[in-house]
Amino acid sequence: MQSRKVPFLDLRVTDPSERSDLLAAVDAVLQHGRLVLGPEVEALESRFAAACGRRFAVGVNSGTDALFLALKALGLQAGDEVITTSMSWIATANAIAMTGATPIFADVADDLNIDPASVSRLLGPRTKALLVVHFNGRLCNTEALQELARSHRLLFVEDAAQAFAASNAAGKAGSFGIMGCFSMNPMKVFAALGEAGMIVTDEPALRDRLSALRYNGTVNREDCHVISLNARLDTIQAAMLLRRMDRVEEAIEYRRSLARRYHAGLRGLVAIPEERPGCRDVFYTYTIRTPQRDQLIAALAERGIETRVRHPLIMPEHTAYRPSARGEWANARRLVKEIVSLPIHGAMGADDVDYVVHCVRDYLAGR
Ligand SMILES: *Cc1c(COP(=O)(O)O)cnc(C)c1O
């Protein structure tokens, strides 16, 4: 097979019709001049809430802000414990720690998502909340985790940063918790052209709290009721996200078609992220597992294929957490040495997937 370059990501906007749509959206904002929390922010919030099956959405500056403000809106503070997964981007743990609460790290199951059995072993008198992550665009075991939250009276919050429009038989990402938090940073499946985040909820009181928290805790933009930071969403990002929302379903279906092509080519050779019945995964990453991970990465790099390990450090092993991290993560620690994410994005064609499959097979099966 002809050698080629397959980048892990390509964030350029090359489709001429999408480009002109986005530029028109920016131009409209330049004309009306309401650059922060303008009308496009409100329009995006309504569409976003509807897309998640929730009543309200509050736009913020990033997924990290979404998580931090959601936990803050629930009143979490020093002395509280929040159980979360050990395998996620570090923003998940940081959001908990920034409220003053202590993250307790639960282990993951073989699908890399938080393991309910581990969560139940970590419950204690100080446990106030469960912050689950839908890792890699696949819902975690919402049924078992919601049941644990219900029976132990825990606040159930979703970090759905990687999972916009993912679902299982019971519902969509962001529809399970008291609040669902999203990131639209440029790498995500539903992506802004810069930083952006969103929180969804059904409760008017939480919506109001979040609206205050995202602007220095002020009510009517004048009087500070709770101490907070500035986490408002730019109108220009919201305007572009609104345009992208028209195309996001198509983009997700395209990703899913690439994933099915990977499945067909790699099944039996490595552990592949196959969808479970009733689920719709959005493939934020296409992450495989193999004991020969490091050699495979090198072999693919030599043939022009860029891969990533998302993320090489599990959360409790980051420098800031390692000395005091609590919980259990034996399975996460074992699995993190075997995972590698293959390129999957809208700028790739089926022929690119076939090339990657060919090179993986060549290396793993051909030796
Ligand atoms: C991307 C991400 C975040 C943080 O979102 P930002 O918008 O980059 O701040 C939080 N949690 C998870 C699981 C993520 O993937």
Side-chain angles (χ1 to χ4, degrees):
M1 212 178 231
Q2 188 82 34
S3 167
R4 59 173 75 198
K5 287 238 171 297
V6 187
F8 186 73
L9 256 180
D10 187 350
L11 299 179
R12 289 171 302 177
V13 179
T14 47
D15 175 57
S17 98
E18 187 184 10
R19 234 179 100 91
S20 67
D21 261 12
L22 293 172
L23 291 172
V26 171
D27 195 47
V29 178
L30 299 187
Q31 309 250 1
H32 68 59
R34 294 177 58 192
L35 299 180
V36 184
L37 297 187
E40 287 85 353
V41 172
E42 271 177 41
L44 178 70
E45 287 171 341
S46 311
R47 280 191 69 184
F48 203 103
C52 297
R54 303 302 298 252
R55 288 180 69 194
F56 307 113
V58 179
V60 292
N61 198 38
S62 71
T64 309
D65 287 335
L67 288 166
F68 171 60
L69 296 188
L71 298 175
K72 209 164 154 58
L74 294 172
L76 290 168
Q77 56 186 325
D80 296 337
E81 290 178 1
V82 180
I83 300 180
T84 192
T85 181
S86 48
M87 203 179 264
S88 180
W89 170 229
I90 196 65
T92 310
N94 283 347
I96 297 168
M98 289 295 289
T99 67
T102 305
I104 306 292
F105 298 101
D107 211 343
V108 297
D110 285 354
D111 75 345
L112 310 178
N113 259 323
I114 184 168
D115 180 0
S118 174
V119 172
S120 65
R121 287 192 290 270
L122 296 170
L123 293 163
R126 289 172 180 271
T127 314
K128 288 280 159 46
L130 181 52
L131 175 58
V132 302
V133 177
H134 304 303
F135 198 55
N136 288 339
R138 145 180 302 200
L139 291 204
C140 63
N141 185 344
T142 54
E143 194 183 352
L145 292 160
Q146 272 187 307
E147 183 45 40
L148 274 172
R150 251 195 305 273
S151 57
H152 294 84
R153 297 172 185 280
L154 306 179
L155 299 159
F156 188 74
V157 182
E158 295 170 80
D159 178 344
Q162 305 184 352
F164 179 81
S167 64
N168 62 18
K172 284 185 178 174
S175 72
F176 296 93
I178 184 165
M179 282 177 281
C181 304
F182 292 84
S183 164
M184 287 85 82
N185 87 26
M187 291 187 303
K188 305 300 199 234
V189 177
F190 178 41
L193 287 297
E195 308 277 11
M198 193 70 75
I199 307 152
V200 296
T201 185
D202 288 334
E203 299 197 14
L206 281 174
R207 189 265 321 261
D208 293 346
R209 269 195 90 95
L210 292 167
S211 299
L213 283 169
R214 76 174 160 184
Y215 195 32
N216 279 296
T218 54
V219 171
N220 297 327
R221 305 189 179 191
E222 295 280 350
D223 183 13
C224 170
H225 286 229
V226 283
I227 295 167
S228 188
L229 302 167
N230 178 16
R232 293 178 300 171
L233 176 57
D234 276 3
T235 312
I236 284 179
Q237 291 304 335
M240 291 192 283
L241 280 164
L242 270 173
R243 300 298 177 106
R244 281 207 157 165
M245 199 150 211
D246 294 333
R247 301 165 184 264
V248 70
E249 277 301 314
E250 198 186 319
I252 289 168
E253 282 311 316
Y254 186 66
R255 257 176 201 262
R256 285 162 45 78
S257 75
L258 296 179
R260 284 192 295 272
R261 206 168 177 93
Y262 270 133
H263 292 339
L266 299 175
R267 192 174 285 122
L269 193 63
V270 294
I272 57 172
E274 256 177 311
E275 261 173 2
R276 288 147 307 171
C279 291
R280 183 202 200 207
D281 298 353
V282 296
F283 295 96
Y284 170 62
T285 67
Y286 189 89
T287 299
I288 60 169
R289 280 199 286 121
T290 170
Q292 298 158 80
R293 192 265 312 264
D294 292 339
Q295 303 92 306
L296 177 64
I297 290 173
L300 293 178
E302 242 168 61
R303 304 185 70 171
I305 300 165
E306 214 185 333
T307 59
R308 298 269 167 85
V309 176
R310 283 257 164 82
H311 298 276
L313 282 178
I314 58 173
M315 294 199 296
E317 296 192 339
H318 279 251
T319 302
Y321 288 92
R322 204 172 35 220
S324 60
R326 289 165 50 200
E328 51 180 52
W329 47 82
N331 207 36
R333 183 180 228 172
R334 175 179 71 82
L335 294 172
V336 76
K337 299 192 186 89
E338 298 189 350
I339 55 174
V340 54
S341 303
L342 304 177
I344 187 165
H345 53 78
M348 284 172 74
D351 51 338
D352 292 314
V353 172
D354 293 346
Y355 176 67
V356 177
V357 165
H358 168 81
C359 294
V360 173
R361 292 203 80 85
D362 225 30
Y363 182 74
L364 289 177
R367 291 179 321 147

